[in-house]
Amino acid sequence: MLFGLKSLGVFMGGIYGEKGGFDVGEGAGGGRVGSVWSRILDVGKCIDRSGLDFSGSFRKVVGEGRDTRFWEDVWLGDRPLIEEFPRLRRLESSEGGETISEKGVWVCDNWGWRWSWKREPRGRELGELVRLERRLAGWEPRRGKADSWVWNLDVTRGFSVKKLRELLAGVGGGVVGGGETVWALFVPKKVNVFMWRLRLGRLPLRVSLDKMGVDLNSVLCPRCGDEAEDLDHALLKCKAVRTLWSKIGVWWNNGVSGIDSIS
């Protein structure tokens, strides 16, 4: 099933609320935490910090204007019209959220804009109206064309994860992200996932599972049975692990010693 942007918005709103899950909710411990969707947006911010303008790389291309809000969306210039013409927006009697297609009408194959002022514009409002009409002069919706998005970083083929990884490798020296998520593009994915889980304290170690309430017969290390299996023991102190580190040191021709704690 294919959804237009407006239908998708209604669909997501029915699941995640009026703000689509982008608002902040109450955490289990009483703290304020971001929603799933806000965390997805945070990934874009991490990419921006890597030196690639990812957040600003998507551009709206208006067709008939059915899925683009006239005042609130960026479609004519580089910012929403409500920011450029705030007095006119306050002067309109509509509640907001009107699409471009709802702000005008076709008359004999000519497009005309329709305004719903609370009163006639005056003073600075009139100046804004003159500037807005100049901006809109000669522009008209494209009949039969749906609104769409263009990825400025690859206009020909559009967005792809592969292309994004290539671009990030060029600007970040092979390191992607920041904050909770940092990926090294030159190592296997499994290694990235393992290090990510280690950094967040989400490895399934016996001490961690016991704290989570998982019923275990013992928290002792299953390899040596000498100590509780916490992070430091599992990766550094266990006899089996120390043997492995010793072999790695021989392989690298450099002794691996003196590390007592992961943190």
Side-chain angles (χ1 to χ4, degrees), residues 125-167:
E125 299 163 348
L126 189 58
E128 284 193 359
L129 179 58
V130 171
R131 289 191 291 113
L132 176 59
E133 289 180 339
R134 287 175 181 172
R135 291 284 304 279
L136 296 172
W139 189 95
E140 63 182 26
R142 297 181 298 164
R143 286 180 166 178
K145 297 289 185 179
D147 297 354
S148 60
W149 289 91
V150 171
W151 192 40
N152 291 334
L153 300 179
D154 193 342
V155 178
T156 303
R157 292 177 295 180
F159 174 80
S160 68
V161 174
K162 179 181 179 181
K163 181 63 176 180
L164 179 59
R165 288 174 61 88
E166 292 175 356
L167 294 171

Side-chain angles (χ1 to χ4, degrees), residues 83-96:
E83 294 182 6
E84 291 191 62
F85 309 99
R87 292 181 177 83
L88 285 183
R89 178 63 194 93
R90 289 195 296 267
L91 187 61
E92 270 214 315
S93 59
S94 61
E95 295 182 358

